[in-house]
Amino acid sequence: MTRDDVRALLRPNIARLTPYSTARDDYKGSLGVFLDANESPYPTGFNRYPDPHQKVLKSRLSEIKGLPVENIFIGNGSDEAIDMVFRVFCNPGVDNVVAIAPSYGMYSVCAAINDIALREVLLEEDFSLDTDKLLRACDEHTKAIFLCSPNNPSGNAFPREQLIEIVRRSGAMVIVDEAYVDFSEIPSIRKEVLSEPNLIVYQTLSKAWGMAGLRLGLAFADEEVIARFSQVKYPYNISALTQKTVLEALQKPIDAQVKEIVTERARVAKALEGMPCVKNVYPSQANFLLVKVSDADALYDALVKEGVIVRNRSRVPLCKQCLRITIGLKEENEKMLATVKSFK
Ligand SMILES: *Cc1c(COP(=O)(O)O)cnc(C)c1O
């Protein structure tokens, strides 16, 4: 796809949009006399509006991710970045998007909110993806394909060559949600956004980085797509407190913790495999395990009774009798394992 092809996918009203501008866009320093935004002059620590362009935070993320700031969008969680695809590309009541199933629930929620039809393409029994089947589900009104790798709730990652092939063959935007990529052996494809104008890669600080409470999601894409996202977002979508706190938290490396979760994932998987009620533990590249058991509803209730909350996915396509279990601290996992082991 070319940039012209991507421009042709934009909603006409977005292609015409004049974005909201703030007076402070005209002032580059930080020690001016600010009488432009009707803020309070009395310092509270937060009496000034935050930087709508998140310049300092973006330049730090640019170093960490190895991509220019022009290719980075910061959202109020990945959820904002997901919604952005619908608001920028999809005409309500007319267009559709294609998503794999089972996958993350927000794609269908955002589609429904924006009045966009969602076409679900079922994964295979082993949760692999049939490229031809996926592309056959698209038509001239398909504006985006949502992929998630490693996938939630199945935990598997799709081969990099397959994702690239889909991007190259697709006539729509292709979203690859990499929320769990830090736990995966398969590396991120985010750098491909420099040569693939229709690729959008999502990452988040909510999982491996341990900042779910701060709400910070990232989208990587061609600079023209990022420019559109930036025009459509709320100007002050990331609060001053979040920008400051995230910047500090990014100083602390996460490698050791990620390694611990990955080690613990293997240990928990092995322990579960030997238990009477466990039928299958699916291989996982994420920080959770999808586990098929003899009676998911009953085991779920037994775990709740012990104060252990997991996710019951047994009503999701291809996940009959499955629970999704997050890898926690060793002692938390032990408590879960003890309950599963004694379950009759
Ligand atoms: C958890 C998760 C996210 C994270 O969303 P945030 O809004 O950034 O917290 C995104 N995508 C998938 C598939 C997830 O499972």
Side-chain angles (χ1 to χ4, degrees):
M1 251 200 184
T2 65
R3 277 189 175 159
D4 279 339
D5 297 329
V6 172
R7 278 185 214 123
L9 290 172
L10 289 171
R11 276 176 73 178
N13 61 311
I14 298 301
R16 286 192 304 266
L17 186 73
T18 312
Y20 179 78
S21 70
T22 67
R24 221 151 298 170
D25 291 345
D26 301 328
Y27 181 79
K28 302 289 175 236
S30 61
L31 292 170
V33 174
F34 294 117
L35 305 177
D36 59 309
N38 303 341
E39 298 152 338
S40 166
Y42 303 109
T44 60
F46 298 104
N47 56 312
R48 299 295 174 190
Y49 279 101
D51 174 10
H53 311 296
Q54 302 120 11
K55 282 197 209 71
V56 179
L57 185 53
K58 263 193 194 169
S59 74
R60 181 73 192 107
L61 286 164
S62 164
E63 287 169 12
I64 294 173
K65 298 298 178 181
L67 279 170
V69 291
E70 291 77 15
N71 298 96
I72 302 176
F73 170 82
I74 304 181
N76 191 306
S78 307
D79 295 345
E80 184 183 12
I82 292 167
D83 194 43
M84 208 52 78
V85 169
F86 292 94
R87 297 172 69 197
V88 167
F89 291 104
C90 302
N91 294 289
V94 176
D95 291 329
N96 66 70
V97 299
V98 169
I100 54 172
S103 196
Y104 187 43
M106 273 309 285
Y107 314 139
S108 60
V109 171
C110 276
I113 288 171
N114 288 283
D115 193 19
I116 300 299
L118 177 88
R119 301 176 171 191
E120 291 193 322
V121 175
L122 205 60
L123 296 173
E124 306 306 300
E125 282 295 327
D126 62 355
F127 297 116
S128 63
L129 170 60
D130 180 335
T131 300
D132 291 326
K133 188 161 119 187
L134 180 81
L135 294 174
R136 270 201 306 275
C138 302
D139 66 12
E140 71 277 17
H141 289 295
T142 302
K143 291 296 187 76
I145 299 176
F146 283 88
L147 305 173
C148 181
S149 183
N151 188 34
N152 176 6
S154 53
N156 61 310
F158 303 110
R160 178 190 175 79
E161 303 70 38
Q162 183 177 25
L163 297 175
I164 303 282
E165 186 196 344
I166 293 166
V167 171
R168 301 227 167 114
R169 286 176 61 190
S170 164
M173 302 303 293
V174 176
I175 289 84
V176 180
D177 187 339
E178 294 188 334
Y180 299 98
V181 76
D182 300 293
F183 304 104
S184 176
E185 289 164 331
I186 297 185
S188 169
I189 63 159
R190 67 178 180 277
K191 292 192 181 167
E192 302 300 323
V193 303
L194 297 174
S195 50
E196 309 290 344
N198 63 325
L199 171 63
I200 304 176
V201 177
Y202 292 154
Q203 291 185 7
T204 178
L205 301 191
S206 296
K207 307 287 155 69
W209 281 96
M211 297 185 229
L214 287 172
R215 311 306 303 132
L216 203 130
L218 302 169
F220 307 104
D222 182 64
E223 59 187 63
E224 287 202 10
V225 171
I226 297 298
R228 291 300 176 185
F229 280 20
S230 302
Q231 288 172 357
V232 170
K233 76 177 180 72
Y234 292 149
Y236 306 111
N237 61 329
I238 309 295
S239 79
L241 184 58
T242 298
Q243 293 190 43
K244 176 170 171 277
T245 312
V246 168
L247 198 60
E248 285 165 13
L250 287 173
Q251 305 289 355
K252 214 172 125 223
I254 54 166
D255 313 24
Q257 280 185 2
V258 167
K259 222 172 135 191
E260 224 170 274
I261 297 281
V262 169
T263 307
E264 191 60 7
R265 178 180 76 200
R267 186 187 73 85
V268 172
K270 196 144 178 270
L272 283 168
E273 270 158 17
M275 293 181 182
C277 72
V278 173
K279 303 292 167 209
N280 191 12
V281 182
Y282 291 90
S284 173
Q285 298 283 324
N287 66 338
F288 57 81
L289 291 168
L290 187 70
V291 186
K292 191 180 283 272
V293 297
S294 49
D295 187 341
D297 289 344
L299 177 56
Y300 176 84
D301 290 341
L303 284 162
V304 169
K305 223 179 197 170
E306 292 301 316
V308 178
I309 315 300
V310 300
R311 195 89 157 109
N312 189 345
R313 297 282 75 185
S314 55
R315 279 156 202 86
V316 163
L318 303 178
C319 297
K320 229 175 252 162
Q321 303 296 3
C322 284
L323 300 177
R324 192 195 68 194
I325 305 176
T326 306
I327 302 301
L329 295 173
K330 187 160 191 198
E331 55 269 31
E332 295 175 321
N333 303 332
E334 280 306 312
K335 181 158 187 196
M336 177 275 295
L337 288 171
T339 310
V340 177
K341 192 173 182 185
S342 62
F343 179 75
K344 298 276 180 302

